[in-house]
Amino acid sequence: QICLSLVKLLFYLAHSPLGSIVLLDFQPRQFVMVDGNLKVTDMDDASTEELSCKEDNDCTLDFPTKSFPLKCSVVGKCEGINEKKNLFNAYRYFFTYLLPHSAPPALRPFLSDILNATGDLRYGINETLNAFEKVLHLYKSGLYLQKRSLLLKDYISLEGFRAVEGEDYKCWPSYSHLGCLLSVHSAEEAASICNSQSQCQSFIVTQRRTWTGRPLALFQSSLTDLIPDANAVVYIKRSASPGERL
């Protein structure tokens, strides 16, 4: 969410009515999340000036660990230098820390491609935004899920009840510090996750949603407490012992 919001912001800056805008003091502390969108808190160090040049050798974009040769345009400006500077800063301050973590395994190669392409500045901001939106579409639609045998048949469904949320086993990247609360596309994906965790004996797909509209599923190691809930369904492993099932 943070990276996609940042890319949308940089896309606007690259195509703004004032021209391509560069953030000269590009640091995480200069941004804040407002209603799920990343905002710049200080525009004092923003500039529309692009480096003047006479030849391509005048257009090297330097960072502490990398340098990138750019082209000198016919009007004597380094082509795309503001856009590329913003994008590489996004890569080194945000993408490298956020993209490799917590994504479903099937989506990680797509995020690695974005990471590598922006780290080498092979992607411009247009290509980067398209790549992020493709990943978001795969994530929201569930198209990233591999076709497999139906796992939900290995579970008993108990309608009209939900488990009491409390401290239980932890998992990564849980939305709750008390237990294992994960985003899923469907109950079938939740069953796959539960099967992959040795502690998991049951799960419930809650009514809560993430920013992408995906529901949160709570995974538990036992069913000590159930309370009535007309809108809920508890899924219990058939392999669980009778004491854990009832």
Side-chain angles (χ1 to χ4, degrees):
Q1 181 181 15
I2 293 172
C3 291
L4 175 61
S5 187
L6 176 59
V7 168
K8 288 181 177 179
L9 172 61
L10 298 187
F11 179 86
Y12 173 78
L13 294 180
H15 301 285
S16 84
L18 299 175
S20 182
I21 298 174
V22 63
L23 301 176
L24 299 174
D25 187 18
F26 198 116
Q27 299 283 342
R29 64 173 180 269
Q30 299 281 35
F31 300 89
V32 64
M33 290 292 285
V34 180
D35 297 328
N37 295 306
L38 208 65
K39 306 285 186 181
V40 182
T41 61
D42 184 3
M43 292 293 288
D44 289 345
D45 294 310
S47 174
T48 57
E49 291 295 319
E50 291 196 307
L51 186 64
S52 298
C53 58
K54 293 182 178 179
E55 56 183 26
D56 290 351
N57 288 338
D58 298 328
C59 292
T60 300
L61 182 57
D62 289 316
F63 292 95
T65 58
K66 279 189 175 183
S67 296
F68 300 96
L70 304 180
K71 297 290 186 182
C72 183
S73 71
V74 293
V75 296
K77 297 289 183 180
C78 296
E79 288 185 357
I81 191 168
N82 287 352
E83 173 187 329
K84 292 180 184 298
K85 188 171 185 178
N86 283 341
L87 190 54
F88 189 78
N89 278 328
Y91 158 80
R92 65 178 180 145
Y93 287 120
F94 287 88
F95 298 171
T96 54
Y97 297 104
L98 299 177
L99 287 187
H101 309 291
S102 79
L107 290 179
R108 288 174 192 167
F110 295 98
L111 296 176
S112 292
D113 287 344
I114 294 174
L115 199 62
N116 293 331
T118 53
D120 294 334
L121 286 184
R122 287 185 285 109
Y123 280 0
I125 191 61
N126 294 359
E127 295 88 350
T128 303
L129 180 57
N130 287 338
F132 268 102
E133 289 182 334
K134 176 183 177 181
V135 173
L136 180 64
H137 172 67
L138 293 173
Y139 186 60
K140 292 173 69 173
S141 65
L143 290 173
Y144 67 91
L145 295 169
Q146 299 174 348
K147 293 183 185 280
R148 63 183 77 188
S149 58
L150 296 178
L151 301 174
L152 208 54
K153 66 181 183 343
D154 297 330
Y155 291 77
I156 299 168
S157 61
L158 188 58
E159 297 184 9
F161 291 91
R162 64 178 173 86
V164 175
E165 291 189 33
E167 191 163 356
D168 206 326
Y169 76 93
K170 312 296 192 299
C171 67
W172 174 259
S174 178
Y175 282 78
S176 169
H177 68 280
L178 295 176
C180 187
L181 186 67
L182 300 175
S183 162
V184 297
H185 177 259
S186 62
E188 184 63 42
E189 184 181 16
S192 173
I193 293 172
C194 189
N195 277 13
S196 70
Q197 297 174 345
S198 60
Q199 306 100 312
C200 184
Q201 295 298 323
S202 66
F203 67 87
I204 177 174
V205 181
T206 73
Q207 300 296 310
R208 283 177 283 171
R209 303 271 170 171
T210 69
W211 67 280
T212 60
R214 286 162 54 100
L216 293 175
L218 177 66
F219 300 88
Q220 294 187 305
S221 60
S222 63
L223 278 177
T224 54
D225 294 298
L226 290 177
I227 57 177
D229 187 334
N231 298 316
V233 181
V234 177
Y235 296 89
I236 310 165
K237 274 185 179 178
R238 293 183 183 275
S239 59
S241 67
E244 290 172 317
R245 291 210 307 259
L246 298 175

